[in-house]
Amino acid sequence: QVQLVESGGGSVQAGGSLRLSCAASGYTYSRYCMGWFRQAAGKEREGVAAIDSDGRTTYGDSVKGRFTISKDNAKNTLFLQMNSLRPEDTAMYYCAADRDSGGYCYTPIFSYEYDYWGQGTQVTVSS
């Protein structure tokens, strides 16, 4: 049974940093494209960052230069380091896995490509 569990969300002031984690279990984690998404109240889910089976990364335009996605295959854990946070980064953040792409991450980062989802962790950035 595939399970993704996010952690690390919280409240921070603008300009601050947070590091999100996503613990994965139940599948061969290292072979999948893994992604981070976010959804703000009243808005559609947005692709934030993705990392393929070889460690290549891709980012949404709104977070380039501020966020960094990484993973630890030995620990089956995905990370999202978020720096220079802005109030518009406030959202529920989800990690997800693309089961069917053979480890490749498509761009742009569309949520419909992903098959497994965590429950999310809330990030709130105050001005």
Side-chain angles (χ1 to χ4, degrees):
Q1 181 177 353
V2 174
Q3 189 171 19
L4 301 172
V5 180
E6 302 96 335
S7 61
S11 296
V12 65
Q13 289 193 328
S17 298
L18 283 173
R19 190 190 195 205
L20 306 184
S21 299
C22 172
S25 62
Y27 67 104
T28 309
Y29 166 84
S30 61
R31 296 181 184 176
Y32 286 32
C33 167
M34 299 293 298
W36 284 100
F37 293 80
R38 66 186 182 187
Q39 188 165 18
K43 295 188 176 182
E44 293 189 355
R45 192 164 293 189
E46 173 190 13
V48 174
I51 185 166
D52 72 12
S53 57
D54 291 327
R56 290 181 291 247
T57 59
T58 186
Y59 296 91
D61 289 341
S62 61
V63 306
K64 283 180 181 177
R66 300 188 299 123
F67 290 12
T68 303
I69 188 172
S70 62
K71 62 179 180 174
D72 185 335
N73 288 339
K75 296 182 179 180
N76 282 6
T77 304
L78 181 72
F79 302 101
L80 184 69
Q81 178 66 43
M82 305 186 295
N83 298 329
S84 302
L85 283 162
R86 305 167 179 167
E88 54 264 39
D89 294 319
T90 295
M92 184 72 78
Y93 282 72
Y94 301 89
C95 70
D98 183 349
R99 176 191 60 200
D100 298 325
S101 69
Y104 176 78
C105 292
Y106 293 97
T107 57
I109 308 168
F110 289 127
S111 60
Y112 64 78
E113 296 282 355
Y114 291 74
D115 306 286
Y116 304 118
W117 292 84
Q119 294 300 307
T121 185
Q122 178 67 38
V123 171
T124 303
V125 184
S126 58
S127 58

